[in-house]
Amino acid sequence: MSSIAENIALIRQNIAAALSGGDRAVLLVAATKMNDAARVREAIAAGVDACGENRVQEFAEKNALGAYAGCPKHFIGHLQTNKVNKLVGQVDLIQSVDSEELLRLINRRAEVLGIVQDVLIEISIAGEAQKSGISPDELDAILRFASGCAAVRVRGLMCVPPIRQNPDENRPYFAAMRQLFVDNSSKKYDNISMDFLSMGMTDDYPVAVAEGANMVRIGSAIFGSRQY
Ligand SMILES: *Cc1c(COP(=O)(O)O)cnc(C)c1O
């Protein structure tokens, strides 16, 4: 087995352990930034559920090389409004939508293409000023706005909490995300279905899964640490 395949097998075991007997499906998204097409293909061969890229340019380059063949494609990084037209319709899920303006532009482009674009709403759950994401108080308004965007479907929520020495410190944030997810699942807005709760990265995914994540985004634990 390649080390990438071994790493993925270990992550699957850790996810199963974090579910402690529960059999909820947890989708494993490989965060593929700074890993080349060959390494991305290895991760796909080893059975990740999706690949997530952070930058539109890097995504487009690797996509042109066929890096993601056979695997769902996600965008997980900060999306600039001027990159929207390059991305909509190219990926299965845009996880990082955090403004009405982005929704409006995504909707407009998806209409032109005649498709419906799936997205998640990114929440700044720890209220860190420098981070992307809306505050939890803004969620209802953005969902109402999204329900008027016929070419966009909101599939759930995503967050990137602070980096911690001790991942348990993020437990309250994951629990708060889970509560938002549950509270909004019962709302009956058009074009909104709370299917995915995307949280947990290399350092904290077992905690995120224990607190209710059904989608984790993992880079270094699959590919090794990134060389910047
Ligand atoms: C890079 C990245 C990840 C994965 O980070 P690791 O700590 O390497 O697992 C997850 N989510 C987002 C948005 C990222 O940019």
Side-chain angles (χ1 to χ4, degrees):
M1 233 198 274
S2 75
S3 68
I4 286 175
E6 280 170 8
N7 292 343
I8 289 169
L10 180 62
I11 291 165
R12 296 280 191 197
Q13 282 174 24
N14 291 340
I15 288 173
L19 286 168
S20 61
D23 61 355
R24 178 159 48 86
V26 176
L27 297 180
L28 173 55
V29 180
T32 44
K33 58 177 175 270
M34 307 188 68
N35 284 282
D36 64 17
R39 292 168 66 76
V40 172
R41 284 195 205 97
E42 257 190 75
I44 293 168
V48 295
D49 298 297
C51 290
E53 284 289 350
N54 282 70
R55 295 180 57 241
V56 174
Q57 182 63 31
E58 186 176 345
F59 165 76
E61 285 168 15
K62 285 190 240 173
N63 198 32
L65 295 171
Y68 316 105
C71 190
K73 296 169 269 193
H74 293 187
F75 188 78
I76 62 176
H78 177 67
L79 179 56
Q80 293 168 279
T81 50
N82 64 353
K83 300 281 169 62
V84 165
N85 287 359
K86 289 209 172 80
L87 191 67
V88 172
Q90 299 293 313
V91 291
D92 298 281
L93 185 66
I94 302 175
Q95 295 206 11
S96 44
V97 172
D98 66 352
S99 69
E100 289 186 3
E101 179 64 359
L102 269 179
L103 277 172
R104 193 179 66 75
L105 294 169
I106 292 168
N107 188 56
R108 194 174 68 181
R109 178 65 179 164
E111 271 176 354
V112 167
L113 297 174
I115 61 160
V116 173
Q117 177 68 61
D118 281 359
V119 307
L120 304 182
I121 304 296
E122 181 173 356
I123 310 283
S124 173
I125 195 66
E128 297 164 283
Q130 78 281 14
K131 285 250 182 99
S132 305
I134 60 162
S135 89
D137 319 339
E138 295 169 310
L139 180 58
D140 189 64
I142 207 165
L143 292 179
R144 280 173 193 273
F145 184 83
S147 70
C149 295
V152 173
R153 188 165 52 153
V154 176
R155 301 293 304 277
L157 306 177
M158 176 270 214
C159 75
V160 185
I163 294 163
R164 302 290 200 169
Q165 288 293 339
N166 175 1
D168 261 319
E169 292 173 48
N170 278 336
R171 191 179 293 276
Y173 294 131
F174 293 138
M177 285 293 293
R178 157 92 185 161
Q179 194 60 49
L180 267 182
F181 183 71
V182 169
D183 290 347
N184 284 282
S185 295
S186 55
K187 290 183 184 166
K188 296 277 176 278
Y189 295 145
D190 288 344
N191 313 327
I192 315 278
S193 58
M194 288 288 150
D195 300 316
F196 302 121
L197 180 55
S198 173
M199 56 187 193
M201 308 180 12
T202 290
D203 291 333
D204 58 15
Y205 71 90
V207 181
V209 168
E211 293 299 327
N214 63 12
M215 182 179 280
V216 295
R217 309 174 311 269
I218 300 187
S220 351
I222 294 177
F223 297 108
S225 53
R226 290 177 288 276
Q227 305 296 316
Y228 286 98

